[in-house]
Amino acid sequence: MELTSKQRAQLRGLANELQPIVHIGKDGIGDNLVKQANDALEARELIKCRVLENSMLTPREACDRLSLLTRSEQVQVIGTKFVLYRPSHKKDKTDKIVLVKDRKKQNEGR
């Protein structure tokens, strides 16, 4: 899923109030951290991550790697934090994030 600029802006706005729930430290991105991120994305769809000072990864490197491993979309990298988005596959999830559609692109497909 490729996010449009409007969808990224919408998700950035929603992420402003989020606290980082995935912290990447000196151990980098291992299996446990990927599992934690996957679980968080399945439950919340939108998560904020933080790269700690003792990490060997830059925030951009961590964002690139974690988004690849979790099959999520990069929303924003700012300072030591970054935001990832992945729609949940849970059928009973009632608080899904509904993204605005870009009407211009929608009309081009007709």
Side-chain angles (χ1 to χ4, degrees):
M1 163 186 199
E2 180 88 21
L3 295 173
T4 67
S5 59
K6 284 187 179 188
Q7 289 171 330
R8 282 185 201 285
Q10 178 187 359
L11 291 169
R12 281 194 304 268
L14 293 172
N16 281 337
E17 297 180 20
L18 295 179
Q19 293 299 316
I21 58 172
V22 175
H23 300 275
I24 301 164
K26 66 178 179 175
D27 295 333
I29 299 174
D31 292 340
N32 288 335
L33 191 124
V34 173
K35 182 183 179 336
Q36 178 189 5
N38 272 321
D39 290 347
L41 283 163
E42 193 62 31
R44 295 179 176 90
E45 297 183 325
L46 186 68
I47 63 170
K48 188 178 282 187
C49 306
R50 180 171 176 237
V51 178
L52 303 175
E53 290 180 22
N54 63 351
S55 177
M56 299 299 239
L57 299 171
T58 67
R60 171 55 63 195
E61 291 169 334
C63 183
D64 289 345
R65 193 171 302 171
L66 194 56
S67 70
L68 179 68
L69 293 170
T70 59
R71 297 181 183 176
S72 58
E73 291 289 325
Q74 298 177 17
V75 175
Q76 178 180 38
V77 178
I78 186 163
T80 61
K81 298 176 184 127
F82 60 91
V83 178
L84 299 176
Y85 169 75
R86 184 181 71 200
S88 176
H89 295 101
K90 288 185 176 181
K91 291 180 182 177
D92 61 345
K93 186 160 176 48
T94 57
D95 56 345
K96 286 186 170 274
I97 296 173
V98 178
L99 294 175
V100 294
K101 292 189 178 185
D102 191 347
R103 291 191 188 272
K104 185 177 179 183
K105 285 191 177 206
Q106 199 174 22
N107 290 334
E108 288 175 1
R110 291 184 183 176

